[in-house]
Amino acid sequence: MKPLNYSAAVRAIAGAAMIGTSLSATVAHAQASDALKQEAIASVDAHADMVAKAVDQVFSYAEPGFQEVQSTKYIADLLAKNGFKVEFGVAGIPTAFKATWGEGGPLIALGSDIDCLLGVSQYPGTGRLTPMVAGAPGHGEGHNSGMPLIVAAAIAAKDVMVKHGIKGRLLVWPGIAEELLATKAYYVRDGLFKGVDANIFTHVSSDFSTGWGEGGSNGMVSVEYTFHGKTAHAAGDPWDGLSALDGVELMDTAWNFRREHLPVTQRSHYVISNGGGQPNVVPDVASVWYYFRDRTFKDVASLYKIGNDIAEGAAKQTGTTVEHRILGYAAPNYGNRPMAEAAYANIQAVGMPKWSADDQAFAKTVQTVTKREVKPLATKVAELSTPANRPRSIGGGSDDVGDIMWTVPTITIRFPSNIPSMIAHNKLAAIAMATPIAHKGAVAGAKAVALTVLDLMTTPSLIAKAKDFQQNVQFKEDTYAPLITASDTPAIWLNHDLMEKMRPQLAKFYYDQSKYPTYLAQLGIAYPGDAAKDPTK
């Protein structure tokens, strides 16, 4: 086990990213001793096999938003076996839990997402795009790796704290239905983070990094518009009908014309979630589901109002009525500077995983077979991301961890469990997510999280600086203004019918840890030798 080198990490931060800031603001993280951190690293290493098996297990469950029944139970059981008290049903969401441990001292929250995506089922360990179950969900974002990482980090921090009598409390939570951006605003509204001093979030990547400030992601509101009309025989007497589908189509047409006159930073997209029954019946009910995204709270609210106005206009044109309901919300992301600087020093101290020749060969073969840019697995951590070195954002994706970021000081640690050049929300991003690359990246991430937890637990000034930054820097830039109201409820019905159909088929592929050391072994896929082969032949 290599010694930690915090002095080098501090020099790198000071030299590369601390423009306009005194060195004293960058070194508060150093209070947790190297000896304590070595013990935390040893604990994570001792649980590396648990992490690998958990990564594979959650991958095999392939459960989308609000249907993460087995995934969350599995993770919650691991925490319960290690001394955490687990309570399900957070914010009225059946698959959401909170796991708590400790007494006195700071309260540090740890979380990561656990849901997967619709329609991206993919065999791991091969670059041949082959679904395990046709049309089924799959981990084409890599969320199967995040909660196993968090479990290992929480156990490691707890072990060190118990051994050395360090007072403090841990709160572990899973990101449910993140791909729907549908829960964390409800977590916040319903008080999950009340009394929390700081929160560490993680997300899968091909790099190892963190950052602070306005993060470049868009805020977002997810809203479904449902039009109501009147049925009639579509050929015999269409004049007696009022088509709800006409309302949907006119709304979509009007929105697409309006795009030309919206800010370049906005992103908006939709699906017709209910287009009616059959062509010879004028649809009396039809629905369209929109995501409206932009850079600020004000801009998201503006898009939402425009959408509502256009929907009302479409209803008037078609003689129908329209109602809408919010299905999800995500605030713009904003990372905490003192926490990010502390975490970055720990990321540098941990360093990238030791990739084997097989790991690099696998990455290259997959990139070649899938005709993506060939880039080796990174061997150096990325630089600390700051407003000074980030390119100006013109809009993009969203993550509802933003709601937590505007509630308590929060950072995101990106950990290297995937390979470069893959397309997110695609089968390509699932290929490596039950391989040694995913396992090693999650272990590295767990170490960085555990070390940062110890910094927060043993350094009151770090928490004080994190809170001061949020109050006096972050909150001066914008104000948290979510669009969900007290009467809105999480859309827990989403994906239920799909999983009723898919779960029996997916069950045939669940990982059996009692028989196989890895999921690839169960599937009969050789690593890295089968990276270019069709796993079904």
Side-chain angles (χ1 to χ4, degrees):
M1 184 168 58
K2 71 176 183 179
L4 301 178
N5 188 349
Y6 286 97
S7 60
V10 172
R11 287 195 301 272
I13 294 175
M18 298 300 102
I19 299 171
T21 300
S22 67
L23 182 61
S24 62
T26 74
V27 298
H29 68 276
Q31 299 304 309
S33 72
D34 288 2
L36 293 181
K37 293 187 174 186
Q38 291 286 1
E39 290 180 21
I41 286 177
S43 177
V44 173
D45 283 332
H47 289 95
D49 186 62
M50 177 201 72
V51 172
K53 284 182 164 58
V55 167
D56 288 2
Q57 193 74 59
V58 177
F59 183 97
S60 76
Y61 288 145
E63 294 177 309
F66 291 118
Q67 307 306 316
E68 310 95 337
V69 178
Q70 294 175 101
S71 301
T72 53
K73 182 181 184 304
Y74 175 82
I75 293 297
D77 285 347
L78 290 177
L79 289 162
K81 290 174 183 176
N82 284 278
F84 285 76
K85 178 184 177 183
V86 179
E87 299 176 49
F88 272 90
V90 171
I93 302 163
T95 54
F97 67 79
K98 64 176 181 179
T100 55
W101 172 86
E103 60 181 16
L107 175 57
I108 308 302
L110 307 174
S112 195
D113 300 322
I114 199 166
D115 59 324
C116 73
L117 289 153
L118 301 185
V120 293
S121 175
Q122 168 65 28
Y123 275 94
T126 174
R128 298 297 176 187
L129 299 185
T130 309
M132 300 180 73
V133 175
H139 276 285
E141 175 85 353
H143 285 175
N144 59 299
S145 56
M147 284 307 295
L149 178 166
I150 291 295
V151 171
I155 292 171
K158 177 184 77 72
D159 287 348
V160 173
M161 292 169 69
V162 168
K163 180 178 178 180
H164 295 278
I166 299 170
K167 292 290 184 180
R169 296 160 291 155
L170 295 171
L171 166 65
V172 176
W173 55 272
I176 299 301
E178 188 278 334
E179 301 296 1
L180 299 169
L181 298 158
T183 60
K184 297 188 185 79
Y186 292 101
Y187 287 179
V188 168
R189 186 193 69 181
D190 293 353
L192 178 60
F193 295 94
K194 184 178 181 180
V196 170
D197 292 293
N199 177 70
I200 301 174
F201 180 70
T202 67
H203 197 280
V204 62
S205 182
S206 60
D207 65 16
F208 200 6
S209 62
T210 192
W212 61 269
E214 189 275 319
S217 66
N218 274 348
M220 187 218 73
V221 62
S222 166
V223 55
E224 185 176 50
Y225 297 89
T226 298
F227 289 79
H228 298 275
K230 184 173 68 172
T231 63
H233 194 299
D237 61 340
W239 44 84
D240 281 330
L242 295 171
S243 174
L245 181 58
D246 286 353
V248 164
E249 292 189 298
L250 279 173
M251 178 183 180
D252 295 343
T253 299
W255 184 265
N256 286 327
F257 273 102
R258 187 62 180 268
R259 287 178 195 271
E260 180 182 358
H261 309 288
L262 295 174
V264 68
T265 51
Q266 75 87 25
R267 299 288 188 274
S268 53
H269 20 272
Y270 60 86
V271 295
I272 297 176
S273 48
N274 176 11
Q278 60 190 66
N280 64 336
V281 179
V282 175
D284 65 335
V285 179
S287 302
V288 60
W289 180 9
Y290 273 83
Y291 280 11
F292 299 127
R293 310 184 197 238
D294 212 327
R295 303 291 302 114
T296 69
F297 292 102
K298 181 180 177 181
D299 290 339
V300 173
S302 175
L303 292 178
Y304 180 47
K305 183 181 184 302
I306 292 169
N308 292 344
D309 290 346
I310 286 176
E312 291 291 343
K316 289 179 180 179
Q317 291 176 76
T318 55
T320 61
T321 60
V322 66
E323 60 185 358
H324 66 272
R325 60 183 173 186
I326 289 177
L327 300 183
Y329 181 80
N333 285 198
Y334 198 107
N336 186 271
R337 182 172 186 168
M339 288 177 62
E341 291 170 355
Y344 186 65
N346 291 323
I347 289 169
Q348 288 193 306
V350 171
M352 291 295 291
K354 300 299 182 185
W355 306 122
S356 68
D358 284 348
D359 297 332
Q360 293 287 7
F362 175 78
K364 183 176 181 179
T365 300
V366 167
Q367 291 162 350
T368 302
V369 168
T370 59
K371 296 180 171 57
R372 303 296 297 171
E373 180 184 359
V374 175
K375 296 175 65 176
L377 298 172
T379 56
K380 294 182 179 180
V381 303
E383 66 178 334
L384 178 67
S385 179
T386 76
N389 62 22
R390 274 194 300 272
R392 177 176 177 269
S393 173
I394 57 169
S398 310
D399 193 316
D400 56 356
V401 72
D403 292 85
I404 304 171
M405 290 175 157
W406 288 92
T407 304
V408 298
T410 299
I411 56 168
T412 295
I413 293 177
R414 293 161 56 90
F415 59 95
S417 278
N418 215 324
I419 58 180
S421 302
M422 299 296 98
I423 301 173
H425 290 200
N426 186 282
K427 292 180 179 182
L428 294 176
I431 290 169
M433 289 312 305
T435 71
I437 293 170
H439 304 159
K440 293 176 183 179
V443 167
K447 293 175 181 178
V449 171
L451 302 191
T452 306
V453 170
L454 291 178
D455 284 335
L456 291 163
M457 292 294 187
T458 60
T459 316
S461 62
L462 176 55
I463 292 178
K465 288 177 180 178
K467 292 180 177 180
D468 179 74
F469 177 85
Q470 184 173 60
Q471 291 291 327
N472 296 308
V473 179
Q474 179 181 349
F475 289 169
K476 285 185 178 179
E477 294 192 19
D478 211 339
T479 301
Y480 184 49
L483 292 173
I484 64 167
T485 67
S487 62
D488 290 315
T489 57
I492 60 176
W493 63 87
L494 291 175
N495 296 324
H496 176 270
D497 292 347
L498 171 72
M499 287 305 287
E500 287 290 296
K501 174 184 175 182
M502 289 294 181
R503 207 179 292 278
Q505 300 176 64
L506 289 165
K508 301 172 186 176
F509 292 94
Y510 289 167
Y511 176 33
D512 186 347
Q513 296 182 23
S514 68
K515 294 182 179 179
Y516 301 96
T518 67
Y519 194 40
L520 291 185
Q522 178 173 320
L523 297 174
I525 296 174
Y527 180 87
D530 288 343
K533 296 180 181 178
D534 183 338
T536 64
K537 296 180 180 178

